[in-house]
Amino acid sequence: MKLNRIVFTVFVLSAVLRAGAEIDPDYFRPVRPIGVGGQAAWNVRSVFFMYPPTFDFKRCEGAQSYRFTVKDEAGVERTFTGKTPNVSLAPIWKDLPISGWMDLRCEALDAQGAVIAKAGERSFWKQAPFRAGTYQNKKRSADETSKRIARYIMSLPIVKANYLSGKPVPKEMVNVNNQVFVAYPSKMGAAVVSAMAKIAHGDTDEAKAALKLAEGAVKKLMSVTESEGKVLAGFPRTYEAHEGLSKHPEKMVRLNSGKIMLVYPRAVANAYLDLYAVTKDEKLKAAAVKIADLYLKLQGEDGSWPLNVWIENGKSVEKNRLVPVHMLGFLERMYELTGESKYRDAADKAFAYVDKGPLKSWNWEGQFEDVVPTEPYRNLTKHDACDTAMYLVRRFPNDERRLQEARELVRFAEDQFVCWERPMHGKKDPRCTMAVWCCESWRCPAVLEQYNCYVPIDASAAKMIRTWLAMYRATKNPLDLARACTLGDAIIRETRDNGYLPTFWMDSCEDWPNCTLASAAALAEIHLEKSNIKK
């Protein structure tokens, strides 16, 4: 048995090293081609492409074929002809420079090959693909770094003031680096409870301190939970006003304080269950059940939920529906905890919504508490796509069709949001229409968050790590493990010796501790996966 494990480990490592010698052939195959199977134009705002794209160029009357010409930064043009204006750039993708700005034009041709019209044009940045073995080495283990991050969060004065003092946080303690703790209580409280629950095992001083902090965070969450008799009784609030907030969070809290975003009660309930697994405190389980049952009451006939609801009456705020991927795992967890089929039935309805909705439309809308809901394809993110991929491989481990769907979701996420190398030569180019900031200081490999915040975020790297680890467990593709470990190494390099991990991997000093804790959890998962391989 031990020999088999050693052989397997050698196989994984040798496959990864071989992959560094050449680019994975999968990078020459398009992601979710437009027009195929009725696929809508999902990439209308896209600027970066790692895989050969297709575009929604117009069909021209009288055209017999279409000529595609791509000019690289050196002025070299490469041309091929396709039958429609929506074919991918795969025929010349391998011949283009590994990265750089590309200017594309598509021309309609008649039967004699003469140009009769311009079908479209587009500029984009060709992203460098993953090349194993070419990135910086890490400076410490994933396990040690994960622990340092958690200890750092536990030591923060704002954490102690918010969760242990039992008093309002003093105005003078709130600044741009910690204000999210008080502005977004559900998001931050859930992250702290879940993280501390992982440490609160045993009889060590650290475990006792983690348990005390988790219980304090629960009390804080309970203090912002809607009381009995209210329409949304049991749901914690998404926003909380506080003196000392800077301009943007203050505005978001002021505009949205009468709403609850349905992304976050589920996160709080999961956190309660994480701590319940440690303490067996029935009050935590009861609070989670109350949240779950209210979700069941609010679930629509379509299987989803409103994105935001008014606290006063529980009615939907806007037409945007929740992308209910987060709900799937939570409802399955409730089913396993209680044995009540109503939770699995609700999960099945929610998955049917995803199956017929974003899995078909590819509208992976970014739904964050500090971003205004958008029209389709205006603000894509990889988060829900990755969560869907992880759900598919867990729920349908032997279903080849579902595994292929999961793989396509991961390819989309890498194509649009992963930067193995710094893009755009480290400077904003007029051809980039995204909300990128400080691109000259981006530290890569990294992962971008959403189109409306197209910058490297530590939690985005964490999400890709968890997704590639899930794919590795499902398919045993060593490149999935290699990609996950490479991003893990990036998190480790970004983490300072005292455990501080910046949220933004660029010249910016705004920190989101929930992101920090997500990174710690991803590193812990890498450590566990490597430990399992070595056994």
Side-chain angles (χ1 to χ4, degrees), residues 146 149-154 159 163 181 187-196 198-199 213 458-459 462 501 503 512-524:
S146 177
I149 292 172
R151 290 170 185 148
Y152 175 81
I153 294 296
M154 293 173 68
V159 170
Y163 301 126
F181 270 118
K187 188 171 191 174
M188 298 303 142
V192 168
V193 172
S194 289
M196 293 304 105
K198 291 182 175 68
I199 305 172
L213 183 55
D458 70 315
L501 172 63
T503 299
W512 288 68
N514 64 303
C515 295
T516 304
L517 292 170
S519 295
L523 292 180

Side-chain angles (χ1 to χ4, degrees), residues 222 225-235 286-287 289-291 294:
M222 293 296 185
T225 293
E226 290 299 290
S227 59
E228 290 297 327
K230 299 291 184 66
V231 175
L232 299 179
F235 271 11
V289 168
K290 191 172 186 63
I291 290 172
L294 183 52

Side-chain angles (χ1 to χ4, degrees), residues 415-445:
D415 181 64
Q416 292 295 293
F417 298 98
V418 177
C419 296
W420 296 115
E421 300 175 14
R422 184 188 295 172
M424 301 188 296
H425 308 298
K427 59 183 180 181
K428 178 68 182 289
D429 189 283
R431 287 168 284 193
C432 182
T433 57
M434 295 295 191
V436 302
W437 315 311
C438 308
C439 53
E440 67 281 355
S441 64
W442 287 10
R443 298 186 293 276
C444 298

